[in-house]
Amino acid sequence: MTDLVLMPTPIQNRADKLLLASGSVARRRILQNAGLAFGVETSAVDEACLKKTGQEQNWSPATVALRLAEAKALSVTKPNTLVIGADQMLSCEGIWYDKPEGLNGARQQLLQLRGKTHVLHTAVVLCRNGQILWRHMAEPKLTMRMFSHTFLEHYLSVEADACLGSVGAYRLEGPGIQLFSHIEGDAFAIQGLPLLPLIAALRGMKVLSD
């Protein structure tokens, strides 16, 4: 079942010609705020299986993110529709991190990232009729400050389950911004979708007007 997201005055012509293969609220919000009309169809890709394959074959986290984005886009079969696939991996000092399980998992993950710089490997692809037409990888770097345990507990009480949907256990557009001392890279990519390169690609494909 495909949900259509219609803006009052969409920039491109038809929502049925552009599809987001993701259930991510953040990615959906980014596209909506940019004025795009699009459909949404959640991919059924087994992410855990693909990540396990990546670890067994010694893929880089960027490669895993790209393979996940491609798999999501290719899993949606709607003729003549441009499908957006995206995914994100977090790595820090050679360790991969995934979305935390529960607040205790978020607590442990944030303590491990505290005072360190990590990378968000954020991939986005465009696919039509089973063929990948365009790929892009963004790798913003984020440095967490040495926050106190008191701050961490307050943060977790404020964010609660909202922080569990992110690989880093934070939302940059929310209270999670207070975890950081330095950020380098695209804010949209940090939220899960490198927007400007995607818009440029859509314009190049004549999905968006000049």
Side-chain angles (χ1 to χ4, degrees), residues 77-150:
T77 54
K78 192 171 183 180
N80 302 316
T81 298
L82 198 58
V83 182
I84 302 169
D87 214 297
Q88 189 176 61
M89 293 286 291
L90 187 157
S91 68
C92 182
E93 298 181 349
I95 299 174
W96 295 3
Y97 291 84
D98 213 330
K99 294 176 182 177
E101 296 185 5
L103 289 180
N104 189 55
R107 179 182 293 106
Q108 295 304 314
Q109 182 165 306
L110 290 169
L111 286 172
Q112 290 172 21
L113 296 174
R114 182 175 61 174
K116 300 175 183 177
T117 298
H118 65 263
V119 180
L120 288 174
H121 311 271
T122 309
V124 58
V125 305
L126 289 171
C127 165
R128 184 189 284 124
N129 297 331
Q131 181 180 0
I132 300 295
L133 304 177
W134 176 82
R135 301 172 177 84
H136 179 80
M137 172 66 64
E139 295 182 295
K141 299 178 181 180
L142 300 89
T143 303
M144 282 194 179
R145 64 185 183 86
M146 286 297 296
F147 48 79
S148 67
H149 285 273
T150 300

